[in-house]
Amino acid sequence: LALFNEPNATDGQLIMAQAKMDQAYSAFEQLTVQGAAVRVRYLRLLFNLAYALQDKGRAIEHAIDLALYSEQEGNQAFAYGALGRTYAVRSEHGLAISYFHKALAIYNKDLEVENALLNAANCYMSIGALQLEKADAENARVNLVQAQKIYLEHGRPTDVKEVQALIDTIKKGVAP
């Protein structure tokens, strides 16, 4: 995976890395996983891998499987957020927003879920950004302000700046 983020990677290296990833996918598909917890752990890894490789079809498949096999709300919320991110990349904004709302409902309901508030802030920011792209500035502003509030409370200056930039585009009346 690191190779895909390496600016000096050659085409040959990237082709070899993709071949290795295809082998990993094939091995997982033939693996008889014992227990839902192990399957969920592997599915989270495979989703992250597919998303990083921009393999949107596989990313969606793994996120759906993750939602089906997850017994813990934290994994379900992760799966819904994963689906939201993947549909957003595919420019399917309505589906993306609906999955972010599902994740947000879990994060807001169960603050015991690991990093629930920061994950909720990420959902608010994603929803706001998508709404802004859909020219729904008022709802975008509400969600972005909520994200910014959480980021400020948790000392996340980089995230605060990113959200502020989106809010500033609303104030200027300019789409991102």
Side-chain angles (χ1 to χ4, degrees):
L1 261 184
L3 190 58
F4 284 93
N5 294 321
E6 176 61 43
N8 297 325
T10 66
D11 287 343
Q13 289 173 314
L14 294 175
I15 290 170
M16 294 275 293
Q18 183 65 53
K20 293 270 187 202
M21 297 316 309
D22 289 341
Q23 288 175 345
Y25 282 130
S26 293
F28 178 77
E29 289 169 0
Q30 296 177 21
L31 186 65
T32 55
V33 178
Q34 303 296 322
V38 174
R39 179 174 293 279
V40 165
R41 188 173 73 233
Y42 283 123
L43 287 168
R44 283 180 78 133
L45 290 170
L46 286 172
F47 166 78
N48 287 329
L49 185 61
Y51 189 81
L53 294 173
Q54 298 180 5
D55 186 345
K56 298 168 194 136
R58 279 192 176 142
I60 288 173
E61 286 176 29
H62 296 314
I64 289 170
D65 285 346
L66 184 56
L68 291 173
Y69 287 103
S70 295
E71 295 172 5
Q72 296 176 339
E73 286 192 327
N75 286 325
Q76 290 170 344
F78 175 88
Y80 293 142
L83 284 164
R85 289 192 312 273
T86 306
Y87 282 121
V89 170
R90 289 176 50 161
S91 296
E92 296 182 46
H93 295 90
L95 278 171
I97 289 170
S98 70
Y99 279 109
F100 282 127
H101 276 294
K102 286 182 176 193
L104 191 55
I106 293 171
Y107 292 133
N108 284 334
K109 179 182 84 173
D110 187 359
L111 295 179
E112 297 301 314
V113 171
E114 185 178 346
N115 298 316
L117 282 175
L118 289 175
N119 288 325
N122 294 337
C123 288
Y124 283 121
M125 188 168 113
S126 296
I127 292 167
L130 290 168
Q131 289 169 327
L132 189 55
E133 285 185 31
K134 292 175 65 175
D136 184 359
E138 186 53 37
N139 285 322
R141 188 190 63 73
V142 169
N143 284 298
L144 293 169
V145 167
Q146 186 65 28
Q148 189 176 46
K149 177 183 168 190
I150 296 169
Y151 289 142
L152 281 168
E153 290 171 358
H154 286 83
R156 303 286 295 252
T158 303
D159 294 321
V160 170
K161 287 179 185 177
E162 189 175 344
V163 172
Q164 188 60 52
L166 291 170
I167 292 171
D168 289 345
T169 64
I170 294 171
K171 290 177 181 175
K172 293 175 189 173
V174 180

